[in-house]
């Protein structure tokens, strides 16, 4: 009996440790447009509920913009949030802008997630504040994920990497980013040591 209890406890402790690492996949803006997605139509809500277009607002004063969709209930988002914060803090002064869009999360829960992880980058709230499969299909976030063949149900975390004035190569990460890969890319592009 003790062995069974031990095995059950081990299974419970490791159940939340399933990471979804994904490499950066590069596409052109034309590929997205041909697939029916409009990157420049991405919108989110500020803390007052006002709808904001993401572009060119956050790209005009940066060399690289990383947009990351997260949800407070997503274990992989909870794994990635501290790493995203660290990358933002280390590369922001070199020209990195990073924003987080809290999708599928009630405002109160989303704010608790941001506070818990001490995220200092701009935070927005997505088009959907709860899991709603029908409404999910109408978002630009979902359209972009489908072009990338991202078969995950809710698709968080999901990151988009855009270099200023270079729309021939846009990066997408359908899962947790691989820290080494992202740091190497940013170091080479921004010529900063991490």
């Amino acid at each position: 009996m003790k062995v069974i209890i031990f095995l059950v406890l081990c299974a419970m402790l490791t159940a939340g440790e399933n990471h979804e690492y994904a490499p950066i996949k590069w596409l052109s803006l034309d590929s997205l447009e041909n697939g029916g997605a409009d990157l420049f139509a991405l919108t989110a809500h500020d803390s007052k509920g006002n709808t904001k277009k993401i572009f060119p607002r956050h790209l005009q004063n940066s060399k690289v913009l990383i947009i990351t969709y997260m949800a407070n209930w997503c274990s992989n988002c909870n794994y990635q949030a501290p790493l995203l914060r660290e990358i933002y803090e280390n590369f922001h002064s070199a020209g990195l802008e990073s924003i987080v869009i809290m999708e599928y999360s009630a405002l109160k829960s989303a704010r608790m997630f941001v506070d818990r992880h001490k995220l200092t980058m701009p935070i927005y709230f997505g088009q959907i504040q709860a899991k709603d499969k029908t409404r999910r299909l109408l978002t630009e976030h979902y359209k972009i994920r489908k072009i990338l063949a991202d078969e995950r149900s809710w698709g968080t975390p999901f990151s988009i990497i855009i270099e200023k004035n270079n729309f021939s190569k846009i990066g997408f990460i359908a899962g947790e980013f691989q820290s080494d890969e992202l740091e190497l890319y940013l170091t080479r592009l921004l010529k900063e040591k991490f």
Side-chain angles (χ1 to χ4, degrees):
M1 184 63 150
K2 289 181 181 179
V3 172
I4 293 172
I5 293 171
F6 175 74
L7 292 174
V8 169
L9 285 173
C10 287
M12 289 172 56
L13 290 173
T14 59
E17 295 179 12
N18 296 326
H19 291 273
E20 286 182 335
Y21 294 111
I24 301 171
K25 182 175 182 177
W26 299 99
L27 292 176
S28 69
L29 185 61
D30 291 342
S31 301
L32 291 176
E33 290 172 348
N34 292 338
D38 183 0
L39 192 62
F40 293 95
L42 286 178
T43 59
H45 304 288
D46 65 15
S47 60
K48 296 178 183 175
N50 300 314
T51 301
K52 301 287 182 181
K53 280 200 166 199
I54 301 304
F55 302 102
R57 174 185 205 120
H58 290 285
L59 194 56
Q60 66 187 359
N61 296 322
S62 61
K63 295 177 184 174
V64 179
L65 172 63
I66 298 176
I67 302 166
T68 303
Y69 285 87
M70 293 190 168
N72 67 296
W73 45 262
C74 167
S75 60
N76 299 102
C77 296
N78 280 283
Y79 298 144
Q80 181 171 289
L83 298 172
L84 183 62
R85 182 189 69 232
E86 184 177 339
I87 284 174
Y88 175 70
E89 289 172 354
N90 285 306
F91 287 98
H92 182 65
S93 64
L96 171 68
E97 181 62 88
S98 180
I99 66 168
V100 169
I101 299 175
M102 295 300 298
E103 190 74 277
Y104 316 126
S105 303
L107 293 177
K108 183 178 179 182
S109 299
R111 286 185 176 119
M112 287 171 57
F113 176 93
V114 169
D115 291 344
R116 179 172 59 251
H117 293 293
K118 299 178 175 85
L119 300 179
T120 57
M121 69 279 293
I123 305 296
Y124 290 92
F125 303 94
Q127 295 171 297
I128 304 173
Q129 293 185 13
K131 290 182 177 180
D132 182 325
K133 288 184 179 183
T134 304
R135 290 185 60 215
R136 174 192 65 178
L137 302 175
L138 304 174
T139 65
E140 288 301 318
H141 171 215
Y142 183 81
K143 292 176 190 174
I144 293 168
R145 288 183 46 235
K146 290 301 121 192
I147 292 167
L148 294 164
D150 180 2
E151 297 298 327
R152 298 174 301 151
S153 293
W154 298 100
T156 56
F158 183 82
S159 298
I160 303 169
I161 304 167
I162 304 153
E163 295 176 22
K164 187 173 187 175
N165 302 322
N166 183 9
F167 298 114
S168 63
K169 184 178 92 169
I170 300 170
F172 298 92
I173 306 171
E176 292 175 77
F177 57 77
Q178 298 170 353
S179 292
D180 293 345
E181 180 187 32
L182 186 57
E183 290 167 14
L184 181 61
Y185 162 75
L186 292 171
T187 299
R188 287 180 178 164
L189 186 69
L190 301 175
K191 297 178 177 39
E192 285 274 321
K193 289 188 178 179
F194 186 72

